[in-house]
Every structure is written in structure tokens, then in C-alpha cells.
Amino acid sequence: YNTPEEGEHAGGSTFKTSPYWLDFVDKSKVTIPQWIPMNEMHSVDFYDSKVKNCTSNFTRDEIFNVRQYYYAMCAETDAMLGQIMDGLREIGKDKNSYVFFSSDHGEMAMEHRQFYKMTMYEASSHVPLVVTGPGVPNHQIDDVAQLIDLFPTFMDIAGAVHPPGLNGTSLMPFLQPHVYGNKLEERPDYVLSQYHGCNVNMS
């Protein structure tokens, strides 16, 4: 959604997909976020919407398209991950390889009149973390984790010794509970998430 007065390439979203991936989206389940009037928005929310070029009068179809395109992009990403798993099976490495899938941020997808990231709302700060590998249980874990937990986890997988003062807590008690289960009590019950973006318009 370009802003003509700011130049040819100013603003605009990056939600692009194809009819093939759109067919994977159940359009009946694509919801439209409810927005409050801009004059009632918190000043931080208004600033975020403004710098993300989201203060226009979007139509319902435009909002719907952003959201369905995002879900289609997720479907394509899922297929790409499947190709990695297929490749591991083809070379016989699927039984002794760990695969981690995560992201550095989420996507607002027009919630709170925003897209992109750069906010502490759930849609932006909550990221996926999917793991498969030897001994990893096939279930969902309802616990908190941070991206800084990945490095100590990789160190445990490699059999490396954690240096003093290492940030993060290994996820191995979840991935191999039969080996590390007694260390679950050592995990923090909180996460630390930060975004330092005051007066900065960047993504």
C-alpha cells in the first residue's frame, strides 16, 4: 500500500503469494481484526501505525487479503520445511539429526492497525519453535522459551561444556525428558522480550 507523495517505493507491504498457496488457506477461518478509531489509540500504537504506513482507510478486502496472503506464505514455508525433512530421509540422516524451526519475530498482519513487527503485541513477539530429532517427544509443550535458549541447547546436543555466565537455558529437558527431566525445575518461568525502537522507523 504505497504512499505516492513519499516516492515510488515508500511504504507498502511485502505480502505476496500465488494462487497455488492461497488454495491451502481456509478462507472461512480468516478473521478481520477489530480496530478502534485512530483518535482513541494509545500514542505508541498510533506512532507504530503511522511509521508502518497503516493509517489509510483500508477496505475489508484489503485487510482480508493481507491476512490470507500471510497464511499462504506460512503454508509455503511449511512446505519448504517439509523439503528439508524429505532431504534428510533421502540421505538417511533423519534419525540422527535435530531440526529446529523458529523465527526472530512474528507478524502483526493488520492486528492493531499494523503489519510487520516492532511491537510487543503477541502477534509480533510470539514466534514458533518446532523441533524434531532423536528422542524428541511428538507433542506440544505449553511452556515459555526464549531464542537465547537455543545456543545452550545446541551446546548440549554437541556435548559441549557451558561457559560461565552463558545466557539462556537449555531446552533439552523438554527434548529428551528421559535424560534431562530432572533439570526442568531449573528453568525460569518467564521470558525477557525487548524492542528498542523509539524514534526509529526500521524493520
Side-chain angles (χ1 to χ4, degrees):
Y1 304 100
N2 292 326
T3 306
E5 63 270 20
E6 294 184 1
E8 179 182 358
H9 301 294
S13 75
T14 54
F15 296 89
K16 296 182 179 180
T17 187
S18 69
Y20 176 84
W21 296 111
L22 281 172
D23 284 343
F24 286 83
V25 179
D26 184 346
K27 295 176 178 54
S28 68
K29 295 182 179 179
V30 178
T31 59
I32 303 297
Q34 297 298 310
W35 292 349
I36 64 174
M38 283 192 290
N39 62 355
E40 297 179 14
M41 294 172 67
H42 188 281
S43 57
V44 173
D45 285 336
F46 181 82
Y47 170 81
D48 284 342
S49 295
K50 183 70 174 177
V51 299
K52 295 176 182 178
N53 199 28
C54 289
T55 55
S56 301
N57 293 319
F58 291 93
T59 66
R60 187 185 187 282
D61 286 345
E62 288 174 330
I63 298 171
F64 181 87
N65 283 338
V66 166
R67 293 178 68 77
Q68 72 162 337
Y69 289 0
Y70 173 63
Y71 295 138
M73 293 162 67
C74 290
E76 184 174 4
T77 301
D78 183 70
M80 292 176 179
L81 184 59
Q83 291 177 327
I84 293 175
M85 300 307 301
D86 289 343
L88 286 172
R89 279 188 285 271
E90 289 174 4
I91 62 175
K93 297 293 185 180
D94 56 308
K95 302 300 183 183
N96 63 350
S97 297
Y98 287 90
V99 177
F100 288 73
F101 174 79
S102 190
S103 175
D104 62 326
H105 62 85
E107 169 55 52
M108 292 300 289
M110 301 309 280
E111 293 185 20
H112 300 277
R113 193 184 275 271
Q114 298 182 43
F115 36 58
Y116 307 144
K117 46 184 180 179
M118 303 177 292
T119 176
M120 286 293 100
Y121 281 119
E122 181 85 357
S124 172
S125 59
H126 191 177
V127 300
L129 178 57
V130 182
V131 185
T132 185
V136 176
N138 184 21
H139 64 253
Q140 179 175 321
I141 297 172
D142 295 321
D143 210 313
V144 294
Q146 308 177 82
L147 293 178
I148 60 173
D149 293 338
L150 294 180
F151 183 60
T153 304
F154 298 157
M155 295 190 73
D156 282 346
I157 292 173
V161 177
H162 294 199
L166 179 66
N167 290 323
T169 308
S170 175
L171 299 172
M172 291 309 288
F174 297 124
L175 307 184
Q176 292 189 348
H178 58 289
V179 178
Y180 294 87
N182 62 331
K183 293 187 177 182
L184 272 176
E185 58 191 33
E186 301 175 9
R187 289 192 54 77
D189 59 356
Y190 62 88
V191 296
L192 175 64
S193 184
Q194 302 179 77
Y195 165 58
H196 304 282
C198 180
N199 299 319
V200 177
N201 178 15
M202 60 187 298
S203 61

